[in-house]
Amino acid sequence: MRPFDMPFGTLRSLALSALAFLFARTASAQGVAPPSPLPLVPSDSVLRLAVDPARAIGQPFVVLLQESSFRVEADGRWLQRNRRAVQVVDENAARGLAEQAFAFASSHQTLTIEWVRVLRTTGVVVADKPAQIQDADVPAAMANPIYQDQRVRRLSLAGVSAGTVVDIAWSVKESAPPRAGDFLFRAGLNGPTSIRRSLIELDVPEGYAPNIVERNLTVQRRDDIANGRRRYTWTASDQPGIRGEPFAADSNGVVQTITVGPRSTWTEIASWYHGLSKDRYALSASAASRIDSVVKASVARTKLDTVRAVHRFVAQDIRYLSVALGMGSYQPRTPDEVLSTSLGDCKDKATLFVAALRRYRIAANTVLLSLSQRPDPNVPTVFQFNHAIAAVRDGANWMYTDLTAEAIPYGELPDAYQGSFAIIIGDDGAAQRVMLPVRPTERNVSSLQLTMQIGADGRAVGRAVERAEGSPTYGLRLGLSTPLDSTRRAAFSRSLTQRIFGAEVTGNPRVDSLVVFNGRDLASSAQISYAVSADELVRTIGTSKVLSVPSVVRGPARSFRTALRELESRGPRQLPIDASRILAPMANITEWIVTLPPGWTIDLPANVSATSFFGSYSSTWTQNGRELRQVRRLQGQRGIFGPERIAEVLVWLRTVGADDQDFLTVKPAAAP
């Protein structure tokens, strides 16, 4: 439950220790509600659930008992009580379990640690309280700072080691939800480690109907009514852990979840936000004059010129800063406040941008979305959102832009939330549900052309040109958003030298004469170029001459072989495959062009080609006269595919992993 205070690329939050991995298999029934399963004092009965460590090999710990009771009122106030008992199996896990952290919003939430115990499976209590307790504010980062009322209670436990049980109970009470009647409760019912016993309870007023969304559950919940309350419960025993798998999709049919919110609509959410923000789109005379000066200085001639001028100003000249306190967590500040300080958070920036465009009668609106996870369209609640961007009407379509992403041109979005659910806040407070656009993979391109000339002495000189389009440009633009001084230029050149030549090339390989673009100029092409040289690209080894293949030309074969070994070491595949986690959804093209000394020839490697559902790979070698040319193209795709297709992944990785050359054999010209 986070306010709208998250900039692009900044995911800075401390969540409450998660209550997860619970599920049940009981019959649905109505009757007298049993007492709450969570005791008010610790009980040693949890030790009966302890396992033989030999049964838990491969797991750092085992969850012996996990319970959560979430009691919510119709006005959105709630109390969540939790208990978690974990048996430490692996000594390496002890350090992490000995440090516990619980976050809460100090202005309207209360955190209570009911008890903390460390005990042996024999019942001997090692510690009955934390060795140290510390409350602290969440620190604001120096870059993209977020000042908020989040507090963190840190517990340091003594005596945690393999064979001990860490038993903690705590509660959080919400007394003043920012939107009346709104809340969000999530629980995962299975996870990476096994769980001996688990129980989750949802407690609501008898006449209140919460919105419960269950995904992938294999069980039914129990419903009970008593004393004016309705209680939903899920219980489970001896649930095995879900082993993580490479390239696994977040969305799958294996992980079981429960999500609970109010019986609300997205228009009610939009109307609430509209009520907080509608008067913030008005520009005062001084604010309007400031915006006019920005547009005038840009010499805008078209509507698109105007939009881009305002976008550049808000994205780059208004520095990101969030003060997430009280309703300021959700209500944007006025354009005058933002312009006077040149500071603003995501909703402040989006509001200023929208207000500025409306001055020029350009239709624009604020958009709410999430940076941290994909919102569930079936659970309308403000707590599914923690970010704000803007949408500009373009005929029948919308163009989206993130004003906190200073290195991303207008009309493009960061990869992280392309294809994600969001709502556009209408001028009348209505919600327009949208799926944010996905940039086609073929429009995300990174290319390198490395041209060299080799002398008879084996020395190579040449030049490299790198170009990027779409998502590969964002990091490059950000890194070049300020001019390179001599120190940064030298460091940049050193990193390029390592990337181009790697460790195998000897003879003083180097990069110099670096030419870069202005990263702040979002209309400029993302291109850099630089001179390359190496004194011994060709060496004599025994009676043979070999041409060292630059590291950047060799490609990713070794990483693919590592992935192949990892996959082959596992049992049957369980989780679906996310294609974008095998290959990035973009095209990567490398071209190496070498002019050889007269009469030289090269023993060319075999060409390699592989295509599958997640992407394609091709590597071709040719020699025409003195010109040696190698072209490698790697193209990724998006999509979620069934686990049964892992066999195709193995074949592809095996084929591409064999395409790896450190050296090429050179045949010099025959003696006259």
Side-chain angles (χ1 to χ4, degrees), residues 73-209:
E73 307 301 332
D75 61 3
R77 292 176 298 124
W78 50 262
L79 171 66
Q80 183 172 351
R81 299 177 58 230
N82 318 291
R83 183 185 183 186
R84 193 167 190 245
V86 176
Q87 179 181 348
V88 185
V89 176
D90 187 336
E91 190 66 40
N92 293 325
R95 181 185 297 270
L97 291 170
E99 298 296 327
Q100 302 280 335
F102 305 85
F104 62 104
S106 58
S107 64
H108 54 96
Q109 293 179 350
T110 303
L111 169 68
T112 303
I113 305 298
E114 308 289 353
W115 70 76
V116 176
R117 300 191 306 162
V118 179
L119 59 162
R120 302 193 186 281
T121 55
T122 58
V124 175
V125 176
V126 178
D128 60 1
K129 62 182 178 180
Q132 184 174 351
I133 302 177
Q134 181 182 16
D135 276 14
D137 294 321
V138 176
M142 294 302 292
N144 294 328
I146 300 173
Y147 299 94
Q148 51 188 324
D149 66 354
Q150 285 271 296
R151 297 277 288 176
V152 178
R153 186 160 301 166
R154 302 180 186 276
L155 311 181
S156 296
L157 313 184
V160 180
S161 62
T164 61
V165 174
V166 179
D167 182 11
I168 302 179
W170 73 99
S171 65
V172 181
K173 181 179 181 180
E174 171 64 73
S175 57
R179 175 178 175 263
D182 205 351
F183 66 93
L184 178 64
F185 174 61
R186 286 193 178 104
L189 305 187
N190 53 355
T193 60
S194 59
I195 305 169
R196 295 299 317 280
R197 298 285 187 274
S198 57
L199 184 146
I200 184 169
E201 174 188 272
L202 173 65
D203 186 327
V204 300
E206 181 178 341
Y208 183 81

Side-chain angles (χ1 to χ4, degrees), residues 321 410 528 530:
L321 173 70
Y410 167 72
I528 64 173
Y530 42 91

Side-chain angles (χ1 to χ4, degrees), residues 234 594 671:
W234 297 260
V594 183

Side-chain angles (χ1 to χ4, degrees), residues 71 115 166 254 435 565:
R71 179 184 176 103
W115 70 76
V166 179
V254 177
M435 299 301 291
R565 288 193 296 269

Side-chain angles (χ1 to χ4, degrees), residues 341-357:
T341 60
S342 293
L343 300 170
D345 68 5
C346 61
K347 61 188 179 296
D348 299 335
K349 283 170 155 270
T351 300
L352 174 59
F353 177 75
V354 169
L357 294 191

Side-chain angles (χ1 to χ4, degrees), residues 569-592:
S569 68
R570 294 173 173 269
R573 180 81 182 192
Q574 185 179 20
L575 300 176
I577 301 164
D578 184 342
S580 67
R581 293 185 176 177
I582 303 176
L583 299 177
M586 58 176 284
N588 186 286
I589 306 165
T590 304
E591 189 175 19
W592 186 35

Side-chain angles (χ1 to χ4, degrees), residues 453-461 538 595-597 600:
Q453 183 167 354
I454 297 178
D457 59 356
R459 185 173 186 271
V461 296
V538 177
T595 301
L596 300 168
W600 283 25

